[in-house]
Amino acid sequence: MWPFSRKSAPVPETKSELTDPTSDSWAALCDSFVVSASGVSINADSAMRCAPVNAAVSILSESTATLPCRLLRDDTDDGETAAKDHTAYQLVNGFSNEWASAADVRRRVTQDAILFGDGFAVVTRTAGRPGEILYAPRNVVVLEYQTDGEPRYSIDGKVYGPRDVIHLQVPNPNNLLQQRGLGLLHTGRDAIGLAILLERSSSNLFRNNSKPSGVLSVKGSLNATAAARMATAWRSAHSGDKAGSVAIIDNDGSYTPINFTSVDSQTVEQRAYAVSEISRLTRVPATLLSDMSRATWSNSVQLDLQFIKYGLQPWLRAWCDAYARTLLTPDERAKMHFEFDMAQLLLADTVARANAFAQYRSAGVMTANDVRRELNLPPLPDGNVLASPHVQAPANDNKPPKENAA
């Protein structure tokens, strides 16, 4: 039984949407069985077994999950302080419920949204305050829209409003009410099918490889039994662990080796094109999918920045909005907001991080204790002075010149 309520309400007997071919559930069900243009049937399992798709989805969902999300309170002096006393702070940073961390919930919901177009999580409340965030699989959620566009979510026989459900959705321009989002399994079906087909073709090309490889011919005619016996003997002598052995042919037999065709020799280029298609669909640079064919020192850094701005940040923005809608009251939203700490993406680049801190200190933006806090170091007694470390004395410490001695 799905644990959204400790005591489940009775499920009313209703007519299934699957009996109505015009319903959105029917369209989603049929869509999951439609094959791609390459003839390969695409679903979540086959897509995630495709290496570039798995890498792109994992990078987006894991980056969203691992980045710290802070609940900040706006101060009167235009500053911000962490609202650690709020119940939502633990739900988005620690554990969202007794068995799943906030990172695990974000990872699952984001992965569903990327693949299927919709990801769900339910917020339970205690005394009117958020108590838990529970991941909701897509197959247990029935989404309906009111005439004014407000969504309603039916889960385990209970109807929830938008304030109780975290819903990440990829916009669907073909549906005004957005009954379902357009995920990667729909928009990228043909590209994923091509990548899988190329991978299968490469496997078939090199499977049971025998050397020498070519056409074995003999003079005269062979019946089916003799031809099959000759082929079996050839594979036994020159395939598997015996590949590359010397071929010995008698009875006026001849062997003509066959080289790869131009299509076969371009398998690598074709698979690289398939990776670039997945990169376009997910906005994850090909360099992050381990395609280094066009990578240089300079463009790799720029591609990483483009991934943060155009690939990752929209998902982080969607999570901030969903958290604010479900975990904060309207009055609290005017004073507090959620924000992901993007500085964690620079943890691996210690040189860039050190240079950034040095410039902030020199410009008088951060104190020494601010920097030490980012590095998880204890504060210093005199570390809260907002002054440049390169200036030894205050700028206005000008002493009058000594009078010349008589």
Side-chain angles (χ1 to χ4, degrees):
M1 182 64 66
W2 187 249
F4 285 132
S5 58
R6 301 308 181 201
K7 186 175 182 181
S8 300
V11 180
E13 184 177 356
T14 57
K15 184 179 180 180
S16 175
E17 283 188 315
L18 294 181
T19 60
D20 180 11
T22 62
S23 68
D24 180 69
S25 298
W26 180 270
L29 180 64
C30 293
D31 186 61
S32 62
F33 290 101
V34 176
V35 298
S36 63
S38 60
V40 179
S41 180
I42 303 300
N43 53 36
D45 180 70
S46 61
M48 289 301 288
R49 284 190 282 113
C50 180
V53 176
N54 187 295
V57 174
S58 298
I59 287 174
L60 286 171
S61 59
E62 291 174 2
S63 298
T64 305
T66 55
L67 285 178
C69 184
R70 298 175 177 177
L71 176 59
L72 302 177
R73 180 180 288 108
D74 299 330
D75 298 332
T76 55
D77 58 352
D78 294 335
E80 297 175 342
T81 56
K84 295 184 178 181
D85 56 336
H86 198 283
T87 55
Y89 192 91
Q90 174 64 21
L91 295 179
V92 302
N93 283 279
F95 278 80
S96 294
N97 51 65
E98 296 179 356
W99 57 88
S101 65
D104 184 55
V105 172
R106 278 202 299 268
R107 181 185 297 108
R108 290 173 177 268
V109 175
T110 305
Q111 189 176 78
D112 282 354
I114 295 172
L115 289 175
F116 303 102
D118 296 280
F120 303 96
V122 175
V123 177
T124 62
R125 302 186 186 278
T126 304
R129 305 296 294 175
E132 292 178 323
I133 301 177
L134 305 173
Y135 163 71
R138 290 176 58 259
N139 58 349
V140 303
V141 181
V142 177
L143 173 61
E144 295 180 350
Y145 283 87
Q146 307 300 309
T147 55
D148 59 354
E150 182 178 348
R152 286 289 185 268
Y153 308 90
S154 178
I155 305 173
D156 195 22
K158 186 177 180 180
V159 178
Y160 295 87
R163 189 170 181 267
D164 298 317
V165 176
I166 293 175
H167 181 194
L168 268 63
Q169 185 179 72
V170 179
N172 186 347
N174 298 322
N175 194 328
L176 297 179
L177 292 181
Q178 294 186 355
Q179 292 290 330
R180 64 186 178 94
L182 288 182
L184 184 61
L185 295 182
H186 179 85
T187 58
R189 179 191 298 119
D190 293 339
I192 298 174
L194 175 62
I196 294 176
L197 183 62
L198 289 173
E199 187 172 352
R200 292 178 180 176
S201 300
S202 299
S203 300
N204 293 332
L205 182 65
F206 294 101
R207 183 177 58 187
N208 297 328
N209 184 33
S210 61
K211 290 187 178 181
S213 178
V215 176
L216 180 63
S217 59
V218 295
K219 291 184 177 181
S221 60
L222 292 175
N223 55 36
T225 302
R229 186 169 57 250
M230 182 177 294
T232 301
W234 184 268
R235 283 193 297 269
S236 175
H238 302 294
S239 65
D241 296 336
K242 300 178 182 180
S245 60
V246 179
I248 300 176
I249 306 173
D250 58 358
N251 294 331
D252 293 330
S254 64
Y255 178 80
T256 305
I258 298 178
N259 297 322
F260 281 166
T261 65
S262 59
V263 175
D264 296 332
S265 62
Q266 292 179 354
T267 302
V268 175
E269 288 80 359
Q270 292 173 348
R271 297 193 66 183
Y273 172 77
V275 172
S276 65
E277 287 288 270
I278 304 300
S279 174
R280 294 185 186 97
L281 288 166
T282 59
R283 287 179 288 183
V284 175
T287 53
L288 295 182
L289 304 181
S290 300
D291 181 7
M292 301 297 178
S293 57
R294 297 183 181 274
T296 63
W297 174 261
S298 59
N299 70 4
S300 295
V301 175
Q302 293 301 318
L303 288 174
D304 288 346
L305 294 176
Q306 289 182 15
F307 164 70
I308 296 174
K309 291 173 60 178
Y310 306 116
L312 181 60
Q313 195 164 358
W315 291 107
L316 301 181
R317 182 71 263 174
W319 269 107
C320 290
D321 294 341
Y323 277 150
R325 185 185 69 253
T326 56
L327 303 180
L328 301 179
T329 64
D331 293 337
E332 290 173 336
R333 293 173 205 161
K335 303 175 183 178
M336 292 184 289
H337 65 277
F338 291 93
E339 183 178 293
F340 284 87
D341 186 7
M342 305 289 286
Q344 295 293 322
L345 296 176
L346 298 175
L347 283 177
D349 194 345
T350 55
V351 176
R353 219 172 170 228
N355 291 335
F357 286 148
Q359 293 180 17
Y360 288 146
R361 292 280 287 119
S362 300
V365 177
M366 300 179 70
T367 65
N369 282 343
D370 291 336
V371 176
R372 295 177 66 85
R373 190 179 303 110
E374 294 291 334
L375 298 175
N376 294 323
L377 297 175
L380 299 174
D382 57 346
N384 291 323
V385 179
L386 193 61
S388 174
H390 305 296
V391 178
Q392 300 298 327
N396 58 354
D397 188 15
N398 296 324
K399 298 180 179 180
K402 296 181 179 181
E403 295 183 358
N404 296 329

